[in-house]
């Protein structure tokens, strides 16, 4: 350093160069050029900003040298040198004087480059927040990939371990390459790699932390210490971002809670005579929490009672798709599906006992837990079949995985005592709740519309008797040509599902968004169902032909066991001749469920339909004998003449009627 005119500045540049070499950053080239220029410079600088005239030293690096000089002067009690006005004026003057001639073109103003800031809840955003938990200016402290993912995952909407699109291979971890290319994140170590923030990365991380509203002390330590464990409990005054419901879910939650409290208050009012009831349309204000009902009967967790006749079942209204009608429609729908039974055991009289053809079974609060059941065919990809279960377990949800006869997810009330229901002649220890989810990715929805599975699934949903059906539609990137073909049919199918069928449609961005929705719904249903009793219909009172009329006649909400539900909705176990006839009719292109049921109203079995076609073709009603050509022409007109006069989905046109007659009536 003896031949250097500015040994102190050269020493600091050498330290920056050694640190960059240790961390294997891209700043090695910059610091080496600045260090060599400083060693070769014969001019003595009174202030570090004067070194901007050298090759490799810019304003940012000179500012860092100024900070080091200020610390050096403070530690040694020396006065901080000031930048002379001459040097400052010279530095502020442009290198070339502008040409003031009239023909000279004005110089273009240099365009300022905007600093890179990652998008909210993106992979880069989560990585920057996770790395900001390290100590600043500590070159040896870093996070491994696994530890970094554990801290960053709660702050990202996409997964760091599995791609959101099974046809692609990119995860949220791909953002690490972007951060390294922008010199915001550095990597070092072999064979175990560690990651940390560069000087530029710390500036961006401070901006992200300052503007972030979700950073809590349980995940990030704002004091600069090492990151806490991801399993540490979040303080009560800090909300978990995973538990924050969106506006749509919050409306449903408020509707369910309000209807539950209304039914509880209605049950208590029915025991008093001569008291005026509250208007039907006035809903009480929901309280922040529900108090669990006291168990009736001491240790008798299951009781045989008769359901009260008080109360009525509201007709379900479709859940509208726009935000203005969601709250009203969801409240009306939840009023009939949850909380319709009173919390306390009512006093029954003879007239009430005679209203139902069976004695209800009652599960008291505290004897069961609400569990989520997943279909084992719902997987992320062929090579990653356990992704959904693992992500739910990471959110404190322990799903039960099994093959489902209907739907992709549903909720059950599982008895804590497995022998509780068998003691009274019921099978199993699970009760089906009135909520079921059908998950459809956009490409799968389009394929199911083309092959008829979509209508068949909705028809089976209707026959199941479940009132709260949720269709989860996941967005999926498709080619522009395919998008033009499927957009109108898919939008029409979604609208029909909401308006005609009255089912709730939830749109999600990807599979991770669907998993978060299932976790939130599970926690919501746990808080509501586990605090009140559940009424059951005995299995001996159930049959496939009388199940739906029985549900419609009940004044209060009743459930059935899971084994009975699986038997009722099975594709093969409960099929009658009429059901098989309907499925056979719907195999014809153009015959929907409504049209098939209209045909079945007139001819209930296949043999009755075939005999009617043959008799009409022979002209039995006319009393004349017809030739083969006239008989075939007359057979094709039968279905259209019987069901062609309707308006709406039940109407069968001439072409479709002739096609059905050709299939069933040709000898």
């Amino acid at each position: 350093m003896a031949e250097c005119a500015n040994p102190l500045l050269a020493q600091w540049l050498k330290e920056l160069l050694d640190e960059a070499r240790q961390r294997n950053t891209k700043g090695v080239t910059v610091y080496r050029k600045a260090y060599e220029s400083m060693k070769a410079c014969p001019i003595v600088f009174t202030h570090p900003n004067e070194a901007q005239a050298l090759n490799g030293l810019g304003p940012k690096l000179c500012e860092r040298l100024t900070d080091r000089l200020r610390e050096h002067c403070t530690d040694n009690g020396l006065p901080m040198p000031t930048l002379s006005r001459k040097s400052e004026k010279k530095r502020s003057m442009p290198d070339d004087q502008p040409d003031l001639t009239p023909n000279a073109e004005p110089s273009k103003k240099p365009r300022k480059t905007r600093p890179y800031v990652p998008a909210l809840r993106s992979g880069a955003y989560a990585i920057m927040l996770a790395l900001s938990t390290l100590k600043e200016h500590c070159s040896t402290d870093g996070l491994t990939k696994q530890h970094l993912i554990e801290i960053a995952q709660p702050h990202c909407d996409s997964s760091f371990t599995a791609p959101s699109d099974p046809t692609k291979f990119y995860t949220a971890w791909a953002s690490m390459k972007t951060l390294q290319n922008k010199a915001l994140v550095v990597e070092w170590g072999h064979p175990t790699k560690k990651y940390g923030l560069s000087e530029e990365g710390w500036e961006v991380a401070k901006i992200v932390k300052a503007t972030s509203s979700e950073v809590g002390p349980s995940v990030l330590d704002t004091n600069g210490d090492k990151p806490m464990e991801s399993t540490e409990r979040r303080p009560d005054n800090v909300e978990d971002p995973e538990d924050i419901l969106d506006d749509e879910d919050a409306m449903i939650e408020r509707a369910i809670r309000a209807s539950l409290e209304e039914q509880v208050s209605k049950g208590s009012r029915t025991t008093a005579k001569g008291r005026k009831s509250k208007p039907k349309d006035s809903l009480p204000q929901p309280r922040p929490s529900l108090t669990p009902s006291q168990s009736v009967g001491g240790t008798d967790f299951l009781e045989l009672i008769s359901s009260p006749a008080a109360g009525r079942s509201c007709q379900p209204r479709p859940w509208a798709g726009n935000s203005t009608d969601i709250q009203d429609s969801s409240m009306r729908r939840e009023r009939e599906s949850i909380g319709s039974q009173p919390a306390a055991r009512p006093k029954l009289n003879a007239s009430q006992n005679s209203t139902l053809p069976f004695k209800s079974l009652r599960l008291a609060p505290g004897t069961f837990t609400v569990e989520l059941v997943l279909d084992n065919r719902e997987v992320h990809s062929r090579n990653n079949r356990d992704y959904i279960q693992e992500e739910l377990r990471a959110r404190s949800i322990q799903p039960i995985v099994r093959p489902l006869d209907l739907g992709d997810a549903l909720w059950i009330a599982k008895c804590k005592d497995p022998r509780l229901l068998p003691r009274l002649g019921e099978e199993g220890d699970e009760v089906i709740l009135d909520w079921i989810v059908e998950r459809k990715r956009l490409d799968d929805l389009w394929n199911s519309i083309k092959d008829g599975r979509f209508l068949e699934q909705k028809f089976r949903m209707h026959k199941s008797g479940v009132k709260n059906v949720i269709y989860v539609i996941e967005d999926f990137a498709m080619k522009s040509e395919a998008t033009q073909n499927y957009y109108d049919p898919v939008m029409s199918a979604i609208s029909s599902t909401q308006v005609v069928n009255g089912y709730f449609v939830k749109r999600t961005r990807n599979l991770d968004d669907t998993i978060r929705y299932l976790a939130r719904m599970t926690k919501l249903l746990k808080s509501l169902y586990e605090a009140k009793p559940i009424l059951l219909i005995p299995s001996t009172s159930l049959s496939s032909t009388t199940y739906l009329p029985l549900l419609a006649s009940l004044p209060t909400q009743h459930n059935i066991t899971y084994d009975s539900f699986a038997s009722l909705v099975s594709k093969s176990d409960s099929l009658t001749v009429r059901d098989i006839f309907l499925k056979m009719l719907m195999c014809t292109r153009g015959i929907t469920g409504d049209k098939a049921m209209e045909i079945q109203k007139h001819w209930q079995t296949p043999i009755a339909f075939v005999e009617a076609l043959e008799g009409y073709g022979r002209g039995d009603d006319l009393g004349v004998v017809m030739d083969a050509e006239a008989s075939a022409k007359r057979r094709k007109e039968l279905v259209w003449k019987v069901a062609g006069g309707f308006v709406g989905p039940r109407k069968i046109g001439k072409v479709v009627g002739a096609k059905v007659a050709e299939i069933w009536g040709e000898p």
Side-chain angles (χ1 to χ4, degrees):
M1 299 292 178
E3 68 278 4
C4 181
N6 302 278
L8 199 56
L9 298 179
Q11 177 184 350
W12 293 336
L13 289 174
K14 183 67 167 56
E15 293 176 0
L16 294 175
L17 176 61
D18 294 340
E19 182 180 352
R21 284 174 176 170
Q22 182 181 2
R23 304 180 69 172
N24 192 22
T25 65
K26 295 183 179 181
V28 174
T29 305
V30 178
Y31 293 138
R32 184 190 297 114
K33 185 185 297 185
Y35 174 64
E36 292 175 353
S37 299
M38 185 64 70
K39 283 201 309 181
C41 179
I43 303 175
V44 179
F45 298 126
T46 59
H47 196 277
N49 284 341
E50 298 176 0
Q52 293 187 30
L54 301 180
N55 186 20
L57 280 90
K60 199 166 189 178
L61 184 55
C62 291
E63 184 178 353
R64 294 182 62 183
L65 293 175
T66 303
D67 295 338
R68 295 290 297 271
L69 179 61
R70 187 177 294 107
E71 294 177 1
H72 176 74
C73 294
T74 303
D75 296 340
N76 295 276
L78 301 176
M80 177 65 184
T82 57
L83 185 62
S84 61
R85 292 185 179 180
K86 182 178 180 181
S87 300
E88 185 175 359
K89 182 178 180 181
K90 182 178 180 180
R91 186 166 53 88
S92 62
M93 289 291 292
D95 295 336
D96 299 329
Q97 293 294 333
D99 191 0
L100 300 179
T101 58
N103 297 330
E105 296 181 359
S107 59
K108 293 183 179 181
K109 187 176 182 180
R111 186 177 181 180
K112 295 183 179 180
T113 58
R114 298 179 60 183
Y116 170 76
V117 178
L120 181 65
R121 298 194 65 81
S122 62
Y125 171 87
I127 291 174
M128 296 295 290
L129 281 180
L131 292 177
S132 65
T133 60
L134 298 171
K135 289 184 178 180
E136 193 174 357
H137 305 304
C138 183
S139 59
T140 59
D141 199 3
L143 294 178
T144 61
K145 179 179 178 179
Q146 185 62 31
H147 196 186
L148 177 57
I149 289 176
E150 291 178 0
I151 302 176
Q153 186 60 74
H155 305 283
C156 182
D157 290 334
S158 302
S159 174
F160 278 88
T161 56
S164 57
D165 186 353
T167 61
K168 295 183 174 60
F169 302 95
Y170 296 102
T171 64
W173 183 254
S175 304
M176 177 61 75
K177 190 68 176 177
T178 303
L179 296 176
Q180 290 178 338
N181 291 337
K182 295 184 178 295
L184 300 179
V185 175
V186 294
E187 173 189 325
W188 70 92
H190 183 77
T192 303
K193 295 182 180 180
K194 291 188 175 183
Y195 300 89
L197 293 174
S198 62
E199 296 296 335
E200 296 81 1
W202 274 108
E203 295 181 3
V204 176
K206 291 176 181 177
I207 298 175
V208 172
K209 290 181 67 175
T211 57
S212 174
S213 61
E214 69 170 13
V215 178
S218 63
V219 178
L220 299 177
D221 187 1
T222 56
N223 296 328
D225 295 334
K226 291 185 179 182
M228 298 182 181
E229 295 294 334
S230 59
T231 58
E232 184 173 344
R233 185 179 182 274
R234 183 178 293 269
D236 296 335
N237 59 345
V238 179
E239 289 185 316
D240 189 353
E242 297 296 333
D243 295 335
I244 298 177
L245 301 177
D246 53 24
D247 295 339
E248 188 177 273
D249 301 330
M251 289 182 182
I252 298 176
E253 181 182 15
R254 290 195 298 268
I256 297 174
R257 292 185 182 275
S259 62
L260 179 61
E261 293 183 6
E262 182 190 24
Q263 295 297 336
V264 171
S265 60
K266 183 188 295 183
S268 62
R269 289 196 303 270
T270 55
T271 58
K273 295 183 179 180
R275 189 176 300 176
K276 294 183 179 180
S277 61
K278 198 174 182 179
K280 300 174 184 176
D281 296 333
S282 60
L283 291 177
Q285 294 296 327
R287 293 187 296 239
S289 61
L290 296 176
T291 304
S293 304
Q294 298 295 331
S295 177
V296 181
T299 58
D300 295 331
F301 297 110
L302 188 71
E303 303 167 0
L304 289 172
I305 63 172
S306 296
S307 300
R312 63 178 184 89
S313 177
C314 302
Q315 294 296 327
R317 278 188 53 192
W319 285 3
N322 52 46
S323 59
T324 58
D325 296 335
I326 280 180
Q327 188 171 6
D328 176 68
S329 58
S330 61
M331 283 183 178
R332 293 178 182 269
R333 192 168 183 84
E334 302 311 325
R335 187 178 295 122
E336 74 161 328
S337 60
I338 287 190
S340 57
Q341 60 267 28
R345 181 177 178 180
K347 296 181 179 180
L348 305 176
N349 51 38
S351 62
Q352 290 176 328
N353 288 332
S354 61
T355 57
L356 296 181
F358 59 86
K359 288 188 176 181
S360 301
L361 305 179
R362 182 178 184 273
L363 287 179
T367 63
F368 60 89
T369 59
V370 175
E371 304 293 342
L372 172 65
V373 181
L374 287 178
D375 189 6
N376 59 357
R377 290 159 292 192
E378 289 298 306
V379 296
H380 179 272
S381 62
R382 185 176 301 175
N383 300 326
N384 191 2
R385 304 185 66 87
D386 299 331
Y387 177 75
I388 299 178
Q389 298 91 284
E390 292 173 355
E391 290 297 317
L392 286 171
R393 293 189 186 101
R395 291 169 171 82
S396 302
I397 303 297
Q398 299 295 332
I400 301 174
V401 181
R402 65 176 62 152
L404 296 179
D405 294 293
L406 183 65
D408 298 321
L410 51 84
W411 287 269
I412 62 172
K414 190 173 183 64
C415 297
K416 296 180 179 179
D417 183 5
R419 297 171 297 178
L420 189 61
L421 292 178
R423 285 200 294 263
L424 292 170
E426 298 295 328
E427 297 181 359
D429 59 346
E430 299 171 345
V431 176
I432 186 75
L433 300 182
D434 210 21
W435 294 81
I436 191 169
V437 173
E438 179 70 29
R439 171 180 168 248
K440 291 288 185 184
R441 212 170 59 178
L442 277 182
D443 57 339
D444 181 37
L445 177 60
W446 169 233
N447 293 329
S448 64
I449 293 173
K450 291 191 296 183
D451 59 22
R453 287 185 294 112
F454 184 64
L455 294 177
E456 189 264 344
Q457 287 173 346
K458 289 200 296 184
F459 179 70
R460 294 179 60 221
M461 284 285 187
H462 170 71
K463 292 192 65 177
S464 69
V466 178
K467 299 174 184 177
N468 301 288
V469 179
I470 302 175
Y471 268 80
V472 176
I473 309 297
E474 290 182 10
D475 291 337
F476 181 72
M478 299 178 68
K479 296 181 180 179
S480 57
E481 298 83 3
T483 303
Q484 296 176 358
N485 295 331
Y486 85 81
Y487 181 79
D488 291 338
V490 166
M491 293 299 106
S492 176
I494 292 176
S495 301
S496 173
T497 302
Q498 291 177 295
V499 178
V500 178
N501 303 107
Y503 298 154
F504 179 68
V505 176
K506 171 68 177 178
R507 300 293 298 270
T508 59
R509 294 185 296 271
N510 47 40
L511 178 59
D512 295 322
D513 200 9
T514 302
I515 294 173
R516 283 191 291 272
Y517 180 73
L518 291 177
R520 295 197 300 263
M521 284 295 298
T522 303
K523 295 177 181 178
L524 173 62
L525 294 179
K526 274 180 172 289
S527 64
L528 296 179
Y529 271 99
E530 293 180 356
K532 65 187 186 69
I534 295 179
L535 299 180
L536 306 181
I537 303 176
S539 301
T540 55
S541 303
L542 298 175
S543 66
S544 58
T545 56
T546 61
Y547 175 56
L548 291 181
L550 178 62
L551 286 181
S553 64
L554 295 178
T556 56
Q557 175 64 37
H558 280 68
N559 303 83
I560 60 176
T561 63
Y562 178 81
D563 293 338
S564 299
F565 176 80
S567 178
L568 288 171
V569 301
S570 176
K571 290 185 178 181
S572 57
D573 291 350
S574 61
L575 287 181
T576 62
V577 176
R578 298 183 60 181
D579 294 332
I580 297 176
F581 185 34
L582 283 175
K583 294 174 70 69
M584 295 171 68
L585 288 172
M586 292 176 65
C587 293
T588 305
R589 185 178 181 87
I591 296 297
T592 61
D594 295 325
K595 293 180 173 66
M597 293 183 69
E598 187 60 35
I599 294 175
Q600 195 187 58
K601 286 182 180 179
H602 298 85
W603 306 284
Q604 297 186 358
T605 59
I607 186 63
F609 186 44
V610 172
E611 290 177 351
L613 288 172
E614 292 177 353
Y616 194 77
R618 291 192 305 263
D620 294 348
D621 56 329
L622 301 177
V624 297
V625 179
M626 308 184 69
D627 57 6
E629 183 178 354
S631 177
K633 182 178 180 181
R634 200 163 190 269
R635 277 197 304 268
K636 294 180 180 180
E637 297 175 353
L638 175 61
V639 178
W640 169 71
K641 286 185 176 180
V642 172
F646 295 100
V647 177
R650 294 186 299 165
K651 180 179 180 180
I652 300 178
K654 286 186 178 182
V655 177
V656 178
K659 187 185 301 182
V660 174
E662 182 180 355
I663 295 174
W664 289 85
E666 289 293 333

